[in-house]
Amino acid sequence: PVAIRVMGVGGGGSNAVGRILQSGAEGIECFCVNTDAQALEAAQAGAKRLQIGTDVTRGLGAGGNPAIGKLAADESRKQIAEAVDGADLVFVVGGMGGGTGSGAAPVVAQCARTAGCLTIGVVTKPFLFEGARRMRQAVEAIQEMR
C-alpha cells in the first residue's frame, strides 16, 4: 500500500485537513501543522497535531508574517522530517498570504522532498479584498514552494 500524508500548514491548511477527515477519506494520515497552539487545539479530531516554532512564537502564531512562519518551521525541521518519514506521497496543503502557511509550507515541502517523498502542493491565494500585501506574500511563497 502507498503511504499518503496530508500536511495542512497554517489555519487554511488545517481547515482543509478538517474537511478531508469529515468526508470520511480512508487510507491517509493527516497532520495539522501550525504555530498557533490555540488553533491546533481546535483541529479536527483524527488529525495529528504538530506545533512548530514554540521558541520563536511561544505558541501565539506568526502574526501574518511569513518570515516568522519560516523561522518556526526551520526551528522544527526535525519534527517535520519525522512526520513525513515513511510516506510515499505527501500533499502540502495551505492558504497562502498569511504567516504560517506562506512561511512554513515551503519548508514542509522541502522536508518531504528531502525524505524522498513525491510531494504535491495544494494552495490557495487570497481574495482580492484581502489586499495587495497578502497577495504578494502568497505569490512569493508559491514560487518558493516550487
Side-chain angles (χ1 to χ4, degrees), residues 1-2 15 31 37 42 44 57 75 79 94 111 115 121 125:
V2 177
N15 288 340
F31 285 80
Q44 177 73 29
T57 67
E75 175 190 316
Q79 293 92 329
C111 288
K125 284 184 174 178

Side-chain angles (χ1 to χ4, degrees), residues 102-124:
S102 296
V107 176
V108 172
Q110 183 183 45
C111 288
R113 285 192 299 266
T114 300
C117 308
L118 175 60
T119 307
I120 299 172
V122 181
V123 299
T124 61

Side-chain angles (χ1 to χ4, degrees), residues 34-121:
N34 209 331
T35 53
D36 186 335
Q38 208 169 10
L40 271 178
E41 284 180 23
Q44 177 73 29
K48 295 186 177 182
R49 295 163 175 84
L50 177 57
Q51 184 177 349
I52 59 171
T54 52
D55 291 338
V56 173
T57 67
R58 291 186 232 105
L60 299 176
N65 185 342
I68 300 295
K70 182 178 183 342
L71 283 172
D74 285 338
E75 175 190 316
S76 302
R77 274 183 186 267
K78 182 179 178 199
Q79 293 92 329
I80 295 167
E82 289 170 359
V84 298
D85 185 49
D88 299 306
L89 174 60
V90 174
F91 289 94
V92 180
V93 183
M96 298 291 111
T100 302
S102 296
V107 176
V108 172
Q110 183 183 45
C111 288
R113 285 192 299 266
T114 300
C117 308
L118 175 60
T119 307
I120 299 172

